[in-house]
Amino acid sequence: QVQLVESGGGLVQAGGSLRLSCAASGRTFRNYGMGWFRQAPGKEREIVAAISGSGGSTYYADSVKGRFSISRDNARSTVYLQMNSLKPEDTAVYYCARSPTSLWYGSRKSYDYWGQGTQVTVSS
């Protein structure tokens, strides 16, 4: 059974930065694409960023392009989301998820394992 554990969320002022981490269990982390999603109250869960198993391909939602950066350390079985220039509208629970292949996908329905989520709150 794969376990994903997010960390790094918290309360930050607008314009600030946070770095989220997602540690995965298992020995074949490099074989799987990973995604970061977020869900704000009353809204559907949406993709924020994604990365392929090798790290060679990445995706960003338009709302975070130029502010967020996704990366991974396959030796540590960890994926990161560096969030800069945070805005109040970035407030949400952030989840990491694992793709069933080495590719990333834009749809949350394509991911088979999910972390428990970490709260990010950006104050104005």
Side-chain angles (χ1 to χ4, degrees), residues 2-6 21-25 28-37 47-55 57-59 70-74 77-81 95-106 111-115:
V2 175
Q3 289 189 323
L4 303 175
V5 180
E6 300 100 334
S21 300
C22 172
S25 63
T28 57
F29 182 71
R30 68 177 65 82
N31 291 347
Y32 300 99
M34 298 293 295
W36 281 100
F37 291 77
I47 190 167
V48 174
I51 189 167
S52 62
S54 67
S57 175
T58 57
Y59 166 85
I70 189 171
S71 61
R72 64 189 297 157
D73 183 339
N74 286 340
S77 297
T78 301
V79 62
Y80 304 98
L81 184 68
Y95 300 88
C96 69
R98 196 195 79 167
S99 158
T101 75
S102 63
L103 306 176
W104 56 262
Y105 299 93
Y111 292 78
D112 54 3
Y113 290 98
W114 292 81

Side-chain angles (χ1 to χ4, degrees), residues 38-46 88-95 119:
R38 67 186 180 188
Q39 187 166 19
K43 295 188 177 181
E44 290 195 355
R45 193 172 298 188
E46 62 177 2
E89 50 262 45
D90 294 317
T91 295
V93 178
Y94 282 71
Y95 300 88
Q119 176 71 46

Side-chain angles (χ1 to χ4, degrees), residues 1 10 12 14-15 42 45 65 71 83 92 104:
Q1 185 74 6
V12 64
R45 193 172 298 188
K65 278 181 183 176
S71 61
M83 305 186 295
W104 56 262

